[in-house]
Every structure is written in structure tokens, then in C-alpha cells.
Amino acid sequence: MPQSVVSSFPNPKTSSYKPPSAPPVFLLLLIAAMLPAAASAAAVATTPLVAFLQRLQSAALATLGSDGFDPKLYVDLPLKRNLSEVEAAFAALPNVAGVVPAPDLERFVDEYFGAAGSDLVQAEPADFVAEPEGFLPKVKHPKVRAWALEVHALWKNLSRREADDVKERPELHTLLSLPGSGIVPGSRFREVYYWDSYWSIRGLLASKMYETAKEIVRNLLSLIEKYGFVLNGARAYYTNRSQPPLLSSMIMEIYKKTHDLEFVKQSLPLLLKEHKFWNSEIHKVTIQVARGKKHSLSRYNAMWNKPRPESATTDEESAAKLSTAAQKKNFYHQLASTAESGWDFSSRWMSNSSDLTTLETTSIIPVDLNVFIYKMESDIAFFAKLTGDSVTSESFLAAVKARRAAITSIFWNSQKDQWLDYWLIKKSNSEKFYRWEAHHQNHNIFASNFVPLWIGAYSSDAYKDGPKVEKVLKSLQNSGLLQPAGIATSLTNTGQQWDFPNGWAPLQHMIVEGLANSGSEEARFLAEDIAVRWIRTNYVAYKKTGAMHEKYDVEACGKIGGGGEYKPQTGFGWSNGVVLAFLEEFGWPRNKEIDCDS
């Protein structure tokens, strides 16, 4: 790669670059104390099956110990018999000082439960062909092309449909019935997930698998129809929260490839319903800036204040240091709200980066969430016009204009030339809005500070200190985020998975695509350079391990990511999708080597 580009990437561990501080810890702690009660959304009810499986999860941890223990496995187990019969058998198990002996627990699980994941069966997509016509025409290098075809073939491994029993006996399963088959991320993520699906779809479109992409969208639309929003994932224990809202973007990408107007017409009413959810009192926040101007933006705010069922034993252990029931309830609410963000977990959401119990996600207006909602509003305006609904189109064009102004006004920082998350402090209980103050922006550097590039939230004719692509490009180059194998998620190594040194496919893709589409030759050059680094690290790790990975350590080419509350996963839907999307956009010439030392 060109030395001039490499030398422009400061290393957060060795360079003299020092990011400005976040708001002081005492101020961030004060925020939590001053937030209104409305910050905690009403908790949704759990199901008797989920509640029982949490008890089983706790018993299994007591019996087996924490080494290699995955709490999610137990809430994914399908029942072989009625719940009342299983509960009675569980109650009758021998109990020695509060612990079920391991052989008895093992016999009980084998007799009364199917294997985790057995409620889904592999289903080869009908539109899969080994080498689609017109597949990645810019990829000329034989080794890269052969690898890309192997990644393409992974869609067969990740395609699932529900087992017949899920529809026939739904009370025995935490898996939610969906109308069609779908693509799962992989490993412990056995079911369909919301925001993962966007990048899987980007890869499926590169693989010419348009019907599979549409089927994924229809599954997500069915969740809106039933629950009013797209769930985090297709499990009963995910009904308390969503994930970053990218459904309209999925539909837009499919439309651009297929021009299927009927598909858009069928989707639009449910997109309007999802938009209402993200702009309801659960998520909506009003901020007043100078001269009384008010802006409406959105935050993450799960409808849950208990341990997350899929991680209940972990959450309870983390909460043990808290002294009161109210503190624990708030902590559980913050955990679930952070899971709604997709960034679970990161110093981005914590007032003390070394203490998970200081999560304050509902006290933060996130840059990227509002970018996603801006994109949703823009897509809906386009779809409404396309389908002849000029009234809705005009209404959403006004919403687009308002949110773009809010994104610039609340997030843009002209000293850093980045968009910064905003921390909330309520000035008065009598006021229904927050007053904007510059020092409440979080000055720590995260990859999310550059996600507005994806929607072109810069302008050549912006006011003097407004976002301009040249300024943002230079800020990114000097940020410390650009590393040998891609873009780091943050500059802080906390051991959390959404922090340094991990890089994630979605963040690479949004920033690269934003740079590439900016109209700046210099920005496109940097976009391609980042994409090349990311493709290389995926390729080399694949050749070493035989798998695509959920995340990568961007400090070195071919290094797998780590950290967080579960061991690293393989599969992997969004990593596969981003590699294929990058190869479709930038190609790989015959004379460019793919190995790390090239």
C-alpha cells in the first residue's frame, strides 16, 4: 500500500496525538441523577417459557461453573414436552446445597429438551448458484476470485428455515415463527438478527441472490406487523428492544438492483409504522439550541429493566456490586438499551470506561442512530413519491430537512470536524426539553463520529463552520482510528468488544461507502485503501482458520478480534456481506497481491 497513506495513520499507542477528554466523570454521573423518570420505558412482559429457562440457566451455572459457560444456550433450548411437565421434572431434581448434581442435570436436559438450534434447519436458498452470472466482474486475481466464491458459498451454510414444530407447537420454543427462511449471523447467533441483515443483504445482492434478500425483508416486516417494530432478533426474549433501524436501507438496496415496485408498495405501510416507533415518546428527545430553536432526535431506550434473559447470569454477576434494587433496575435497563444500540458493550456508553455498571446509554443522543433514522426518512420520502403518495413524500422530505439540521446543530463540532454524541442533562423538571450546551458533547473518538459520511451529511455550501468532506477526511486521517487492518472502533482498550483494537464490518462499510461516494478523489482513494486493508485481513484470517469472523483486531493483518461477554464467533453474515460488497465496488486487479506482507 502507498507509504504516503500509511504514514498519515497515527497509532493511538505510539503517536503524540491525544484526543480531547469526554465530559468529566462527575458531570456524567450527575446526568443519571437528573434524568426524568420517562427515561425508563415501561417493561414488556416476559413469557413463562423464558422465565423457566432463566431458572434452568442459573441452575446450570451453579452446577457447571463459569468456565466456557454460555447463558444464551439455555434460553434457546426447545422443549420436548409441555412446560408444566418439564417444570415438575425440574422441581424433582436432586439438590445438594442448592446445586443439582451434573449427571442429573445432564439427564434432565437430554430427556426434556432438543439441542439449541434444532428449532431451525439448514435450507439451501433457491436462488443460489455456485458462480452467478456477472459475479464480481472487477475481481481479476485468481486467488481472490476463488476465495470470494468460497465466501459466496457460505450463504448456503447460514441459510435457515424454522423446523415444522415451531409453527405447530410455538409454546415449546423461544424461537419466533417467521414466514420465510433467512440468513443467520452464525455460531451462537442461531436466529435472524435485525441490523446484521442489512450487511448480509449487501452481500446477497453482490451474489445475485435477490429473492433471498427479499425474503429476509419480509421476515422483518412480519415482526413490525406483529410487534410494531423490528425486534433485536427472532426470539421471545428479544421483544423488549429493537436494533439500529436499517430496514428501509435494505429495501432501497434491493429496489436499486431489482426495480421491484410492488415490493416497495407492500413494504411502505410497515416502514411508516417502524418510523412511528422510533419517534415515539420511548425514543424521542427534544433539545433547545440558541434563540429558542428546538430539535427532535432519538435515543436508544429498551422496554426492559431486568437481567437480559440471554445473559441473565452474566448481568446478575455484574450487578452484584450495586447496593440497591433501584440501582440494579437502572443498570439492567441500561444493559438492554445498550444491546438495542448493537454496540454491546463499549466505553462510548459508560461514564467510567473501566466500570460496566456506569452505563448511561439512555442519557446519550447517538450520532449513528439519528443518521439511520435520517436515512429511513429519506427512503420513505423516495418510496412514497415512487408509489404516487405525494402527501407522505412531502411530509417526509420536511422530516429529512429537520433531522439534517438537528444532526448538524447538535452533533457537529467545528473544532474537531467530527459529529459527536451528545450527553443529556435536564435543566428543570418543569421543562419538557433539554438545553444544548457545547461541553455536553462527548469529545472521545469513536468510529461512529464518522458514520454521517454514509448519508453525505457534509455540504460544499455549508455555513462557514459546517461539515465539509475535506475537513472530515483530514479529521479521520488524524483521528488515530485508521490502523493497519482497518478502522478501530475507538481509541480506548477496555476489554469490551466495541472498543480498541476491534474493527467491525458495519463500521468499515459505512465509512468507506461514505468516503467513496463523496465526490472527492482524495476521499475515494482513502476509501479504497481502507477497503483493501479490510479485505486482506479477512482473507488472511480465513486462510489461517478456515472461517470468516464476527470482528477483527485491526492492529495487525489477519488477526481475529476478541473481548466482550462471549468468545469470538464465526460465520459470519455481515463480515461475508461487507467483503463481497467491497470486492464488487473496488475489485481486485490481477497484479495486486492479497497476502498481508504485500
Side-chain angles (χ1 to χ4, degrees):
M1 64 193 70
Q3 184 60 38
S4 61
V5 176
V6 177
S7 63
S8 70
F9 291 3
N11 187 310
K13 295 201 294 189
T14 60
S15 84
S16 60
Y17 175 80
K18 295 197 185 320
S21 302
V25 171
F26 79 87
L27 178 60
L28 301 184
L29 293 174
L30 178 63
I31 291 170
M34 297 182 71
L35 277 174
S40 181
V44 299
T46 192
T47 67
L49 175 57
V50 171
F52 167 70
L53 291 174
Q54 276 187 247
R55 299 205 307 274
L56 175 63
Q57 181 193 96
S58 296
L61 177 62
T63 298
L64 303 174
S66 60
D67 188 28
F69 185 79
D70 183 1
K72 185 177 183 295
L73 181 145
Y74 294 91
V75 292
D76 289 354
L77 295 173
L79 273 60
K80 292 179 180 177
R81 307 184 195 177
N82 290 333
L83 178 58
S84 57
E85 188 178 344
V86 178
E87 285 183 307
F90 181 70
L93 286 173
N95 190 306
V96 180
V99 177
V100 178
D104 296 286
L105 183 65
E106 184 178 345
R107 280 193 296 271
F108 169 73
V109 171
D110 287 345
E111 181 175 354
Y112 289 96
F113 298 91
S118 62
D119 41 13
L120 287 158
V121 296
Q122 198 161 333
E124 183 167 329
D127 54 354
F128 176 85
V129 294
E131 184 165 3
E133 185 178 350
F135 179 68
L136 304 184
K138 298 179 188 176
V139 177
K140 306 299 184 183
H141 195 292
K143 283 202 306 188
V144 179
R145 186 163 194 83
W147 171 59
L149 286 168
E150 289 183 44
V151 174
H152 161 72
L154 292 175
W155 298 130
K156 293 192 298 180
N157 298 353
L158 297 174
S159 179
R160 299 285 188 278
R161 65 169 178 83
E162 64 190 40
D164 293 340
D165 194 52
V166 175
K167 199 175 291 292
E168 293 165 4
R169 302 286 308 277
E171 73 280 4
L172 303 182
H173 303 269
T174 59
L175 186 74
L176 300 176
S177 181
L178 298 173
S181 59
I183 301 294
V184 301
S187 299
R188 76 194 288 267
F189 300 112
R190 306 172 181 92
E191 51 285 310
V192 167
Y193 282 80
Y194 184 5
W195 81 313
D196 295 65
S197 295
Y198 173 74
W199 287 280
S200 291
I201 282 175
R202 292 300 298 262
L204 289 165
L205 295 177
S207 291
K208 315 298 182 185
M209 295 172 64
Y210 305 140
E211 289 307 312
T212 298
K214 289 179 186 178
E215 197 157 25
I216 291 171
V217 167
R218 292 188 188 105
N219 286 337
L220 301 181
L221 290 169
S222 75
L223 293 173
I224 300 178
E225 206 160 21
K226 183 169 183 180
Y227 298 98
F229 62 97
V230 183
L231 309 186
N232 184 145
R235 289 276 176 189
Y237 50 77
Y238 286 141
T239 57
N240 57 65
R241 63 181 187 260
S242 187
Q243 260 192 336
L246 288 163
L247 181 57
S248 74
S249 295
M250 301 179 208
I251 295 165
M252 179 63 79
E253 294 302 322
I254 292 170
Y255 177 75
K256 286 194 291 190
K257 291 287 189 180
T258 67
H259 302 289
D260 188 339
L261 183 58
E262 189 57 35
F263 180 66
V264 171
K265 286 180 179 178
Q266 292 167 358
S267 304
L268 184 55
L270 291 168
L271 286 180
L272 292 171
K273 195 172 182 179
E274 184 187 34
H275 181 265
K276 185 176 180 181
F277 169 76
W278 281 102
N279 287 276
S280 69
E281 291 307 308
I282 297 171
H283 296 102
K284 183 178 176 181
V285 177
T286 301
I287 303 176
Q288 185 183 75
V289 294
R291 292 188 286 277
K293 172 71 175 174
K294 294 185 179 74
H295 293 289
S296 292
L297 291 164
S298 301
R299 63 178 162 189
Y300 294 111
N301 194 14
M303 298 168 285
W304 196 248
N305 53 21
K306 305 168 190 173
R308 295 165 297 151
E310 74 279 12
S311 301
T313 52
T314 305
D315 291 355
E316 288 163 356
E317 182 181 0
S318 298
K321 65 188 288 185
L322 300 172
S323 56
T324 70
Q327 287 175 328
K328 291 181 180 181
K329 188 175 179 180
N330 175 65
F331 175 54
Y332 295 143
H333 177 55
Q334 299 305 324
L335 285 167
S337 298
T338 311
E340 185 171 62
S341 79
W343 283 51
D344 42 337
F345 295 99
S346 169
S347 60
R348 182 182 176 194
W349 313 114
M350 296 151 66
S351 58
N352 177 350
S353 64
S354 63
D355 185 353
L356 187 66
T357 65
T358 67
L359 283 170
E360 294 294 349
T361 307
T362 60
S363 305
I364 298 167
I365 307 297
V367 169
D368 46 0
L369 172 59
N370 286 281
V371 164
F372 301 145
I373 298 174
Y374 170 95
K375 179 70 162 56
M376 182 198 303
E377 289 165 343
S378 178
D379 292 340
I380 289 174
F382 175 82
F383 295 147
K385 184 176 181 180
L386 194 67
T387 58
D389 185 350
S390 59
V391 173
T392 299
S393 181
E394 289 299 321
S395 172
F396 274 84
L397 285 174
V400 167
K401 184 177 179 182
R403 196 170 298 268
R404 187 184 184 97
I407 287 170
T408 299
S409 182
I410 304 302
F411 300 132
W412 177 249
N413 184 290
S414 58
Q415 281 72 51
K416 293 177 69 66
D417 291 323
Q418 299 173 22
W419 294 267
L420 308 180
D421 291 340
Y422 187 78
W423 283 73
L424 297 168
I425 289 184
K426 195 76 171 179
K427 297 301 289 184
S428 166
N429 288 333
S430 64
E431 293 177 336
K432 295 183 179 180
F433 54 85
Y434 298 83
R435 296 185 186 276
W436 189 88
E437 296 183 40
H439 62 277
H440 294 167
Q441 288 184 327
N442 186 350
H443 283 246
N444 284 335
I445 293 177
F446 302 95
S448 53
N449 296 10
F450 297 94
V451 166
L453 286 166
W454 189 53
I455 58 164
Y458 43 78
S459 173
S460 58
D461 60 353
Y463 56 87
K464 181 181 175 184
D465 292 323
K468 293 186 175 67
V469 67
E470 295 82 9
K471 291 181 177 182
V472 179
L473 175 63
K474 185 175 180 181
S475 180
L476 176 60
Q477 289 172 318
N478 293 329
S479 67
L481 292 173
L482 301 180
Q483 293 291 306
I487 302 169
T489 308
S490 78
L491 300 185
T492 308
N493 191 339
T494 62
Q496 300 296 344
Q497 62 174 349
W498 286 85
D499 271 319
F500 189 87
N502 284 342
W504 294 80
L507 296 173
Q508 316 299 314
H509 183 258
M510 287 186 287
I511 294 171
V512 164
E513 189 165 73
L515 291 169
N517 294 335
S518 68
S520 160
E521 286 188 22
E522 186 182 0
R524 185 169 178 88
F525 177 76
L526 178 60
E528 184 167 2
D529 185 76
I530 296 167
V532 164
R533 292 164 186 256
W534 188 253
I535 292 166
R536 275 202 173 109
T537 204
N538 279 255
Y539 173 85
V540 171
Y542 181 89
K543 290 299 179 181
K544 285 195 292 191
T545 66
M548 295 289 286
H549 296 266
E550 180 191 25
K551 53 187 177 280
Y552 295 85
D553 181 335
V554 294
E555 287 189 287
C557 179
K559 196 172 179 182
I560 298 159
E565 63 178 351
Y566 54 81
K567 66 182 182 180
Q569 305 294 296
T570 60
F572 197 86
W574 63 19
S575 297
N576 307 350
V578 168
V579 159
L580 294 176
F582 278 171
L583 288 172
E584 183 174 56
E585 176 66 26
F586 299 107
W588 200 279
R590 187 178 297 272
N591 62 353
K592 184 196 288 277
E593 288 306 313
I594 185 66
D595 298 309
C596 282
D597 53 1
S598 303

